Amino acid sequence: MTTVLLLWAALTTAQATPRSHRGVVVGDTIVWHSTEPNGHVLTTEQPLGNTHTVVLSPPMDSTTDPQHLAIDGMQIDVADPHRLSPHVRYWTDPRLTDAQRRRLKRLTRSGRHHGVYFMPDGAVADNGGLRVTLTEKGHVSAGASMAAGGLFIALLLAMFALYKGLDRSARRDANQYYIDTELGTDTEPTPSQSTQSPPMP
Amino acid sequence: MDTLKTLMHLVGGYRLPDSENGSARRLQLVALAALASAILCAIYGFVAGSGGDMGMAMANLYKMPMVVLLSSVSAIPAGLLAWKLFKSSGRWTDLIVGTAAGTLTGSLILAVLSPLVGLYYATSTWLGPALALGIAGTATLTGIAILGRFVIHGSEPLPKDPAVSGTIGAWVRRLVPLGVMATIQIATLTQLISLASPILYEETMFDGGVDAILGAE
């Protein structure tokens, strides 16, 4: 039973853990659908790690009303979206206003529900688009995850063993408590107690 | 049934009845609380992971208990060391029983509110994830508060008025281990969440661990 549990934990942990290296994945591609300003849908295959320009509607400059800003027609299809990090970096482009930064952050977050994953690098492209870089999420080592899983299983087993092992001692303590409290109050007074005379006033 | 009733003594972090306050029984309750917490956290994990696919929900059956229990356990050694260094009053097992009480109470909060999380996850992409995170945060803070209550009012309750002459030191000596434990637990919890991510379908600031929270990633 323990072996099965350990194997299961190790397998699921390994599957859920991203690869341990950081950076560009060479040869791994994503399918990129982009709607051009003229309405054409552009579908290309791009390797992860490339920097792309996302079409923004309308093209952004400091005068763009953030309330009307939208990321238009971008969708990335990936087999395992959790391998990509949509972590939004700080928006450092001096051309952006605070309201635009907040709006863009909100837009990029809302995209996660629909499988849109991108990593803005904080800069606006010359054409008013948004520059994004897709990178693999990979700062967690599989070894650490497996160690945590193993520790957890060991902890559960230890707790179970502790509970069963202390059963006899706990019962003995409970019996002693019963003797000391319940029986102690109902028993007849000892001879030494009964022969004591009450204190004189 | 008696065992369950006994376990409920721990919820809320109140002082254990004298009949349940023997050393062996206290440790037995700790073990029982840990096992019960694992089950309760698994319920929440399954529901929170159901926002993604079934694989994530099934993986959360062990991920969520792992994160909660390992973070709780990892705080105990540092807390005990602080307890010893500051010559805190009370029994050393108060820290362990308090941790178990806090973990159990927090896990109960997760489990009883998991139907709400499940409902909102299925019907709202906006509030569902926020609710799941909010409930987890509430459970964590409640668990730490319960630990504090048990440590302060544990086997040897402190005077109610800390301003009474000579008792301020006793309060401080008992609160320092508590602060150490809370700090270690939160620090461990943050990285364990990162280790176990994805737990929720959505990316959160906790997925990247302390690097993402502090913006160093």
Side-chain angles (χ1 to χ4, degrees), chain B residues 94-140:
Chain B
D94 281 352
L95 285 177
I96 299 176
V97 180
T99 304
T103 308
L104 181 65
T105 310
S107 304
L108 261 178
I109 291 175
L110 290 177
V112 298
L113 293 179
S114 57
L116 191 69
V117 173
L119 179 66
Y120 272 82
Y121 242 123
T123 53
S124 168
T125 54
W126 175 68
L127 193 56
L131 196 65
L133 266 183
I135 287 172
T138 305
T140 306

Side-chain angles (χ1 to χ4, degrees), chain A residues 2-20:
Chain A
T2 309
T3 312
V4 171
L5 278 173
L6 279 171
L7 270 176
W8 178 69
L11 280 173
T12 47
T13 309
Q15 281 170 359
T17 307
R19 278 182 262 175
S20 59

Side-chain angles (χ1 to χ4, degrees), chain B residues 105-199:
Chain B
T105 310
S107 304
L108 261 178
I109 291 175
L110 290 177
V112 298
L113 293 179
S114 57
L116 191 69
V117 173
L119 179 66
Y120 272 82
Y121 242 123
T123 53
S124 168
T125 54
W126 175 68
L127 193 56
L131 196 65
L133 266 183
I135 287 172
T138 305
T140 306
L141 293 179
T142 308
I144 290 173
I146 295 297
L147 164 65
R149 178 191 272 176
F150 195 88
V151 169
I152 290 169
H153 301 291
S155 55
E156 290 178 18
L158 282 167
K160 286 187 176 173
D161 185 6
V164 175
S165 176
T167 58
I168 292 177
W171 272 78
V172 171
R173 282 199 298 274
R174 211 177 274 193
L175 288 177
V176 167
L178 179 64
V180 169
M181 288 185 76
T183 307
I184 299 282
Q185 181 161 6
I186 289 176
T188 314
L189 189 68
T190 309
Q191 294 310 95
L192 282 174
I193 290 173
S194 165
L195 206 62
S197 75
I199 294 177

Side-chain angles (χ1 to χ4, degrees), chain B residues 5-213:
Chain B
K5 209 184 293 181
T6 308
L7 196 60
M8 285 298 117
H9 283 310
L10 280 180
V11 176
Y14 298 104
R15 191 167 184 268
L16 289 171
D18 290 340
S19 58
E20 303 286 347
N21 219 6
S23 298
R25 187 57 175 164
R26 282 161 71 93
L27 288 179
Q28 204 180 21
L29 282 177
V30 167
L32 197 60
L35 293 172
S37 301
I39 295 170
L40 294 169
C41 289
I43 293 171
Y44 174 85
F46 183 84
V47 173
S50 63
D53 50 21
M54 191 48 71
M56 180 183 284
M58 294 299 287
N60 278 357
L61 283 176
Y62 95 92
K63 277 185 186 176
M64 193 69 195
M66 178 186 82
V67 166
V68 172
L69 288 190
L70 284 187
S71 66
S72 299
V73 168
S74 63
I76 290 175
L80 287 177
L81 180 63
W83 179 87
K84 184 70 180 168
L85 289 177
F86 283 83
K87 294 184 177 174
S88 306
S89 58
R91 296 160 72 173
W92 65 273
T93 47
D94 281 352
L95 285 177
I96 299 176
V97 180
T99 304
T103 308
L104 181 65
T105 310
S107 304
L108 261 178
I109 291 175
L110 290 177
V112 298
L113 293 179
S114 57
L116 191 69
V117 173
L119 179 66
Y120 272 82
Y121 242 123
T123 53
S124 168
T125 54
W126 175 68
L127 193 56
L131 196 65
L133 266 183
I135 287 172
T138 305
T140 306
L141 293 179
T142 308
I144 290 173
I146 295 297
L147 164 65
R149 178 191 272 176
F150 195 88
V151 169
I152 290 169
H153 301 291
S155 55
E156 290 178 18
L158 282 167
K160 286 187 176 173
D161 185 6
V164 175
S165 176
T167 58
I168 292 177
W171 272 78
V172 171
R173 282 199 298 274
R174 211 177 274 193
L175 288 177
V176 167
L178 179 64
V180 169
M181 288 185 76
T183 307
I184 299 282
Q185 181 161 6
I186 289 176
T188 314
L189 189 68
T190 309
Q191 294 310 95
L192 282 174
I193 290 173
S194 165
L195 206 62
S197 75
I199 294 177
L200 299 179
Y201 183 61
E202 289 75 20
E203 287 277 344
T204 68
M205 63 187 294
F206 301 103
D207 286 350
V210 70
D211 291 353
I213 293 171

Side-chain angles (χ1 to χ4, degrees), chain A residues 61-170:
Chain A
D61 58 28
S62 58
T63 61
T64 308
D65 182 0
Q67 292 304 317
H68 296 140
L69 197 61
I71 293 176
D72 191 21
M74 195 192 86
Q75 185 182 345
I76 303 165
D77 299 326
V78 287
D80 181 7
H82 284 289
R83 279 184 47 226
L84 298 177
S85 171
H87 175 65
V88 180
R89 288 183 180 170
Y90 291 110
W91 295 86
T92 53
D93 194 299
R95 287 174 292 177
L96 291 178
T97 62
D98 286 343
Q100 286 175 328
R101 288 194 187 97
R102 282 197 297 272
R103 174 71 177 155
L104 277 173
K105 277 189 178 181
R106 206 169 297 133
L107 281 172
T108 50
R109 281 179 185 149
S110 65
R112 288 176 221 157
H113 301 294
H114 310 291
V116 181
Y117 285 82
F118 44 164
M119 185 181 227
D121 66 359
V124 181
D126 292 337
N127 64 357
L130 180 67
R131 290 202 319 175
V132 297
T133 307
L134 290 166
T135 58
E136 186 183 32
K137 185 171 82 172
H139 62 284
V140 178
S141 74
S145 294
M146 292 181 74
L151 267 177
F152 171 61
I153 301 292
L155 178 69
L156 283 186
L157 292 174
M159 288 294 122
F160 185 71
L162 185 68
Y163 180 76
K164 297 302 282 183
L166 287 172
D167 206 28
R168 186 177 291 176
S169 302

